[in-house]
């Protein structure tokens, strides 16, 4: 796993574990014990990153076998549980830069070097401008901008054509219909593109954005997020 943290993160993260306040070195915002104890998303479906507890290995889930998403694979190292969920909530709803910095460091730590070297451009999942104004910032843009700088990659911004209703309480098919045609990308994209978001629930938002990326010239699209919400069977 990559454990590199850029200069911005080192300035934001003093030598105390963000989870237990124990002593740690300045290159990592966590201690070894807390890092190991985090809710790692293993095993998980390689296509949509749905957690697959009790499985001996990662295999495609039934949903992806029946209806594969528009992106080739998902890289979501953690589950949206416990300390990770609390960090995301502080980042998203309290605009905590420290929480965001830790989440970005965890994303890098959870991805192999080969994955970090794969993309030719990053595309953040955009909030509608009205929602970004209400919240005070766009969390996907915040993460992707810093990751693009870290990986020395171009950042390409998508536009949300309409302010879609909230996804909360919708099942997978309802989310997909809600987001159909929601995004457009005017710039021409390179072949290998990564979508960036903080949390992945069903993958409907990322799937809709992947369709827009393919229409803009991308040949392969991956979806990256920090945490995956386990699906509830209906």
């Amino acid at each position: 796993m990559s454990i590199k943290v850029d200069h911005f993160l080192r300035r934001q993260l003093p030598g105390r574990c963000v989870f237990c306040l124990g002593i740690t070195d300045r290159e990592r915002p966590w201690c070894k014990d807390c890092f190991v104890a985090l809710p790692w998303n293993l095993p998980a479906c390689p296509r949509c990153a749905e957690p697959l507890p009790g499985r001996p290995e990662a295999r495609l889930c039934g949903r992806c076998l029946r209806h594969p998403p528009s992106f080739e694979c998902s890289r979501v190292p953690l589950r949206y549980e416990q300390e990770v969920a609390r960090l995301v909530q502080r980042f998203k709803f309290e605009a905590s830069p420290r929480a965001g910095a830790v989440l970005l460091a965890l994303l890098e730590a959870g991805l192999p070097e080969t994955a970090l070297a794969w993309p030719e451009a990053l595309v953040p999942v955009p909030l509608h401008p009205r929602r970004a104004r209400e919240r005070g910032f766009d969390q996907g843009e915040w993460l992707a901008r810093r990751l693009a700088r870290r990986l020395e990659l171009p950042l390409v911004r998508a536009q949300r054509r309409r302010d879609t209703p909230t996804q909360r309480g919708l099942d997978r098919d309802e989310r997909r219909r809600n987001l159909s045609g929601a995004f457009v990308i005017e710039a021409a994209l390179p072949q290998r593109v990564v979508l960036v978001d903080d949390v992945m629930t069903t993958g409907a938002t990322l799937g809709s954005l992947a369709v827009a990326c393919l229409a803009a010239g991308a040949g392969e699209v991956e979806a990256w997020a920090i945490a995956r919400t386990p699906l509830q069977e209906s």
Side-chain angles (χ1 to χ4, degrees):
M1 291 184 178
S2 169
I3 55 173
K4 297 179 181 177
V5 183
D6 64 17
H7 179 65
F8 171 80
L9 297 182
R10 287 196 295 271
R11 287 191 294 108
Q12 296 294 317
L13 305 170
R16 291 279 181 176
C17 175
V18 69
F19 302 111
C20 73
L21 298 182
I23 299 295
T24 184
D25 65 67
R26 292 187 61 83
E27 292 298 314
R28 308 180 190 183
W30 47 71
C31 69
K32 181 178 179 180
D33 289 344
C34 287
F35 183 75
V36 171
L38 288 172
W40 296 102
N41 190 20
L42 298 170
C45 172
R47 194 70 182 261
C48 75
E50 180 179 353
L52 300 174
R55 302 283 182 90
E57 60 184 14
R59 294 183 180 180
L60 288 178
C61 68
R63 291 183 180 87
C64 287
L65 287 172
R66 295 189 300 270
H67 304 291
S70 302
F71 43 81
E72 293 295 321
C73 75
S74 297
R75 301 186 186 273
V76 188
L78 294 155
R79 298 191 307 275
Y80 185 71
E81 298 173 356
Q82 306 166 23
E83 292 293 341
V84 173
R86 286 186 280 274
L87 270 176
V88 170
Q89 290 162 12
R90 290 204 299 272
F91 173 56
K92 181 179 291 190
F93 301 114
E94 299 175 20
S96 166
R98 177 173 171 78
V102 174
L103 290 169
L104 186 56
L106 285 171
L107 176 62
E108 285 194 80
L111 297 180
E113 293 288 352
T114 52
L116 293 170
W118 183 82
E120 295 176 307
L122 303 183
V123 178
V125 174
L127 282 178
H128 187 274
R130 180 181 64 80
R131 293 193 183 184
R133 286 193 299 270
E134 291 173 353
R135 187 169 293 173
F137 82 124
D138 185 326
Q139 72 272 6
E141 164 87 12
W142 193 99
L143 292 167
R145 186 170 64 249
R146 285 158 177 79
L147 186 59
R149 185 188 310 147
R150 167 80 178 83
L151 300 179
E152 299 182 345
L153 291 172
L155 184 71
V156 180
R157 293 172 175 84
Q159 296 179 11
R160 194 180 276 261
R161 285 174 164 169
R162 53 192 173 83
D163 188 4
T164 54
T166 179
Q167 297 281 80
R168 293 177 184 174
L170 302 182
D171 63 24
R172 179 184 290 245
D173 291 337
E174 290 169 336
R175 284 170 179 256
R176 187 181 297 113
R177 289 192 294 270
N178 189 36
L179 289 158
S180 178
F183 303 105
V184 63
I185 298 176
E186 296 180 351
L189 291 175
Q191 282 297 298
R192 300 191 303 274
V193 172
V194 161
L195 312 180
V196 179
D197 206 359
D198 56 346
V199 176
M200 182 177 182
T201 302
T202 66
T205 300
L206 289 158
S208 181
L209 184 54
V211 170
C213 289
L214 295 170
E220 294 180 83
V221 180
E222 290 191 0
W224 292 6
I226 296 156
R228 181 61 154 84
T229 302
L231 290 179
Q232 300 297 321
E233 297 290 346
S234 57

